[in-house]
Amino acid sequence: MNVLKSISMGVGLGVLLASNVSAATTATARGLTIEQGHFTFDGKPFRIISGEMHYPRIPREYWRARLKMAKAMGLNTITTYVFWNAHEAEPGHYDFSGQNDVAEFIREAQQEGLYVILRPGPYVCSEWEFGGLPAWLLKDKDTQVRSTDPKFMQPAQRWLQRLGQELAPLQYSRGGNIIAVQVENEYGSFGHDDAYLEQIRQDLIDSGFNTSLFYTSDSAEQPGSLPDLLKVINFGVGHAHEKFAQLHTWQPGGPYMAGEYWVGWFDHWGAPHHVIGAEKVATELAWILQQGYSVNFYMFHGGTSFGWMNGANWDDDSYQPDVNSYDYDSPLDESGRPTPKYNALRNVIMKATGVTPPPVPATPATQAIRGIKLDESVSLWDELPTPTASHELQTMEALGQAYGDILYRKQVTADFAGELRIDGLHDYAQVYVDGKRVGILDRRLKQDRLTLKLAKGDTLDLLVQNDGRINFGQQMITERKGILGGVTLQGQPLMDWQIYSLPFNDSDSLHYARVTCQHAPCFYRGTFDAPVSGSAAADTFLDTAGLGKGFVWLNGHPLGRTWRIGPQRTLYVPGAWLKPHGNQLVVLDLLVEGRPVLNTLKHPVLGTTTVPAP
């Protein structure tokens, strides 16, 4: 393609950039382009001041309010990932309705005067379950994700083509507000396959994203990019000087942008809550803007990884599952309310740009609700589905299951006493003998064995919970769930299992009764009224104190996980999901028996112990 022609179209094909990403442009250039190492927009100098927020992590009813808050902080752009596994939960079945209506989210951003940077992946990381990749990709054990393997590439191509039908018409050149599109995501922390990146870029072009600036972002020492692609750099607070110096070596001619400026951090179960002081962020942001650099706040508003969508990391040879709250110590907190960091950054942006943004919208109150009685219950053991008989153990993915639990049951054929060992436990197992829990094994803690005594005829149950698939690094390529290897007793393999798939996707169909559950795991159900409902003024936070480990649904909405090890103790309850009367709360708890009574609070409890973000 002729380079000048591509620039005049605002095309992001990379060829317009050259190795130093410096190119001439024409007076008729449309959209976001690059001129002499600087961003221009419609031929005029332009600095991107963006904030990241993700449509599935924000109740649809609140999208508009969050976008208004972005505009009021002084942002001119919103950046969002697109989450493949949210849209194609089953192969070939695409969902862009309701909470998944990403096109509407982008249109609302345009109506609020905001441009959009799109990050369609197909891999996105984002502390999201399996980095946004669908779990069904792992059904075939030989599939190599994030590679040119046809078993990955062909479904990824179909996905990007389908996404293009939704979003390609919303590019700036076609009257929309999408100005840039990311090619893959942080590939430098995963691999160095240029052929793969070339293929993803071509797939984006073939899907209609051919009139937006293409780019890659990385936090690694070397970028996972292509020579002719724009590169931006990702880093946390306190590292701006060194990281922009690094970007200068990647891209000597500019332009220079923090693709992810981590103004907070995420939390793992069983670890402290992370915070970064507002003054520290504001001071560094002032320096970034003084240099004329562009920036994308990650996150501007984190929100919540509702349901089963929290991911996990693999660091220091350890599995580290993430909590559901994606508050991220962001300028807007988990419920969309401004923090001191919001006000501090707003002042810095206003001073640097000389532009006074719209007034900050009023902050709604929150509410507390006491005495939610979970007076109906049923034991999981009374609701088991029809099992699958298998000589060998099977993973969740092999059975077509993405989330929830899986139960492995075996009738013992001889007396045993010795060490039970699980090879490849992913992730949390409760061990039962004749219905009595005799031990717990936790992948986080590298636990995979315990001593057992079994008699001939005993029933051995291994109930395994998926705590979230790894979303970053090479470890994700083997991240199947359940038991990946085998189970041995005194070194002897145990074979011939009954396997129960437990995705927990229809908790309303269970046979609840007004009884005290005495055989955990238990499902609990209760109804309650809400003094305020239907708006952000009804927002509240479910206090999970007294619960063990499990999951919560509200009026059919999956709120997320509970785990008494913390740091997160409250689950965000959007007031828009509440009704004046007859709200239904369902709790699955693996550990707790009885009749729990829960309360909600006016403020979240995300961790009593806090540490600075890395």
Side-chain angles (χ1 to χ4, degrees):
M1 179 181 292
N2 179 277
V3 175
L4 289 179
K5 181 181 177 182
S6 70
I7 297 170
S8 67
M9 293 171 60
V11 177
L13 305 188
V15 295
L16 65 95
L17 299 175
S19 62
N20 64 356
V21 200
S22 177
T25 187
T26 68
T28 59
R30 286 274 296 160
L32 182 66
T33 56
I34 295 167
E35 179 179 0
Q36 298 179 352
H38 298 280
F39 289 119
T40 65
F41 196 88
D42 286 352
K44 299 178 180 179
F46 184 72
R47 175 161 52 188
I48 300 168
I49 303 180
S50 176
E52 185 110 7
M53 59 181 186
H54 304 143
Y55 57 98
R57 285 176 159 143
I58 308 165
R60 178 176 176 141
E61 298 89 341
Y62 296 163
W63 286 349
R64 179 80 66 173
R66 303 297 189 268
L67 293 165
K68 287 183 181 296
M69 293 297 289
K71 191 71 175 178
M73 200 177 91
L75 306 186
N76 56 29
T77 304
I78 290 296
T79 300
T80 186
Y81 283 123
V82 183
F83 300 86
W84 182 5
N85 57 6
H87 294 277
E88 194 182 359
E90 298 179 12
H93 297 276
Y94 300 101
D95 179 9
F96 288 94
S97 64
Q99 192 68 43
N100 286 338
D101 192 352
V102 59
E104 175 59 21
F105 177 76
I106 291 171
R107 284 191 293 266
E108 290 187 17
Q110 184 175 22
Q111 291 159 11
E112 295 301 324
L114 293 160
Y115 299 115
V116 166
I117 295 174
L118 191 70
R119 309 176 78 185
Y123 160 80
V124 300
C125 187
S126 193
E127 291 69 61
W128 187 267
E129 152 73 28
F130 201 33
L133 301 178
W136 48 260
L137 289 168
L138 298 173
K139 187 176 180 70
D140 185 332
K141 292 182 180 180
D142 295 327
T143 300
Q144 297 295 310
V145 300
R146 303 182 74 186
S147 80
T148 55
D149 177 3
K151 292 188 291 293
F152 172 75
M153 189 57 72
Q154 289 176 5
Q157 289 169 329
R158 290 194 297 268
W159 155 243
L160 291 174
Q161 286 280 346
R162 181 62 184 85
L163 181 64
Q165 295 175 29
E166 296 288 322
L167 300 187
L170 301 181
Q171 293 171 100
Y172 181 76
S173 65
R174 301 174 190 174
N177 57 328
I178 296 174
I179 59 174
V181 176
Q182 181 176 280
V183 179
E184 233 270 355
N185 183 64
E186 295 184 313
Y187 193 66
S189 298
F190 181 84
H192 305 282
D193 186 349
D194 286 359
Y196 169 64
L197 290 178
E198 288 279 14
Q199 185 62 64
I200 293 296
R201 171 165 65 177
Q202 188 60 50
D203 293 338
L204 290 167
I205 294 168
D206 294 343
S207 300
F209 296 106
N210 60 335
T211 63
S212 297
L213 186 67
F214 282 6
Y215 76 102
T216 59
S217 68
D218 270 290
S219 59
E221 284 303 309
Q222 293 299 323
S225 189
L226 297 168
D228 56 356
L229 277 177
L230 167 68
K231 300 163 187 65
V232 302
I233 196 163
N234 304 343
F235 59 88
V237 174
H239 299 282
H241 290 73
E242 66 186 90
K243 288 299 183 178
F244 274 112
Q246 183 178 345
L247 181 57
H248 276 257
T249 67
W250 293 356
Q251 202 160 266
Y256 303 112
M257 177 175 175
E260 292 184 9
Y261 178 43
W262 306 325
V263 297
W265 201 245
F266 54 92
D267 295 338
H268 299 301
W269 287 113
H273 175 52
H274 291 92
V275 296
I276 300 179
E279 183 177 346
K280 184 176 182 180
V281 183
T283 299
E284 189 168 62
L285 174 63
W287 179 84
I288 291 171
L289 296 181
Q290 285 166 6
Q291 311 314 303
Y293 299 149
S294 290
V295 64
N296 174 48
F297 300 109
Y298 193 99
M299 299 289 295
F300 162 70
H301 169 50
T304 309
S305 301
F306 291 110
W308 308 99
M309 289 302 169
N310 61 296
N313 272 50
W314 183 268
D315 285 325
D316 301 323
D317 197 36
S318 298
Y319 171 72
Q320 300 172 345
D322 302 326
V323 302
N324 281 95
S325 172
Y326 205 57
D327 177 90
Y328 212 89
D329 193 31
S330 299
L332 284 190
D333 71 12
E334 184 178 10
S335 68
R337 289 162 170 83
T339 67
K341 191 175 292 182
Y342 177 97
N343 296 319
L345 300 189
R346 183 176 189 267
N347 290 334
V348 170
I349 294 168
M350 189 161 45
K351 182 177 180 180
T353 62
V355 176
T356 301
V360 179
T363 302
T366 56
Q367 66 174 329
I369 303 170
R370 300 195 61 81
I372 302 173
K373 298 178 180 179
L374 303 178
D375 49 9
E376 295 181 291
S377 66
V378 61
S379 171
L380 171 66
W381 304 109
D382 296 329
E383 297 286 343
L384 294 178
T386 302
T388 296
S390 179
H391 180 61
E392 297 180 335
L393 294 167
Q394 302 287 330
T395 64
M396 286 186 178
E397 294 81 3
L399 298 179
Q401 180 183 349
Y403 316 116
D405 289 15
I406 187 168
L407 174 65
Y408 302 95
R409 172 170 286 179
K410 177 168 179 58
Q411 205 80 22
V412 179
T413 57
D415 293 347
F416 284 104
E419 184 180 80
L420 175 84
R421 178 173 178 176
I422 300 177
D423 178 23
L425 171 61
H426 287 194
D427 300 305
Y428 178 92
Q430 296 184 100
V431 181
Y432 298 83
V433 176
D434 284 346
K436 180 181 179 181
R437 187 173 67 236
V438 296
I440 291 175
L441 301 174
D442 188 342
R443 181 186 180 191
R444 290 180 316 112
L445 306 178
K446 297 183 172 63
Q447 297 170 339
D448 63 0
R449 66 197 70 189
L450 56 82
T451 300
L452 277 185
K453 193 170 187 179
L454 297 169
K456 181 180 179 180
D458 283 350
T459 297
L460 174 66
D461 283 325
L462 307 176
L463 181 63
V464 179
Q465 184 157 90
N466 166 4
D467 284 336
R469 288 180 181 84
I470 291 171
N471 54 257
F472 186 80
Q474 279 286 332
Q475 198 72 20
M476 66 183 292
I477 65 178
T478 58
E479 187 57 2
R480 291 167 179 84
K481 293 301 182 180
I483 298 176
L484 279 62
V487 175
T488 58
L489 196 59
Q490 290 182 302
Q492 298 300 310
L494 298 182
M495 312 301 287
D496 300 316
W497 296 83
Q498 299 291 311
I499 306 177
Y500 299 80
S501 183
L502 303 169
F504 304 136
N505 52 16
D506 190 14
S507 59
D508 286 340
S509 66
L510 305 179
H511 300 89
Y512 294 93
R514 291 186 177 276
V515 295
T516 299
C517 189
Q518 298 178 336
H519 194 188
C522 300
F523 285 92
Y524 299 98
R525 186 170 70 180
T527 58
F528 66 96
D529 296 337
V532 187
S533 62
S535 71
D539 283 0
T540 188
F541 303 88
L542 181 69
D543 189 353
T544 64
L547 298 179
K549 187 180 195 300
F551 198 85
V552 177
W553 295 263
L554 170 73
N555 292 334
H557 296 280
L559 292 185
R561 304 173 188 268
T562 70
W563 201 349
R564 61 189 178 195
I565 62 174
Q568 180 180 353
R569 203 185 90 185
T570 55
L571 288 173
Y572 173 47
V573 178
W577 294 354
L578 289 172
K579 305 179 291 185
H581 306 288
N583 295 285
Q584 185 178 92
L585 193 68
V586 173
V587 175
L588 164 66
D589 201 293
L590 303 185
L591 305 172
V592 169
E593 298 170 343
R595 289 196 178 191
V597 178
L598 301 180
N599 303 307
T600 77
L601 307 176
K602 289 186 176 183
H603 303 285
V605 180
L606 299 180
T608 55
T609 302
T610 60
V611 295

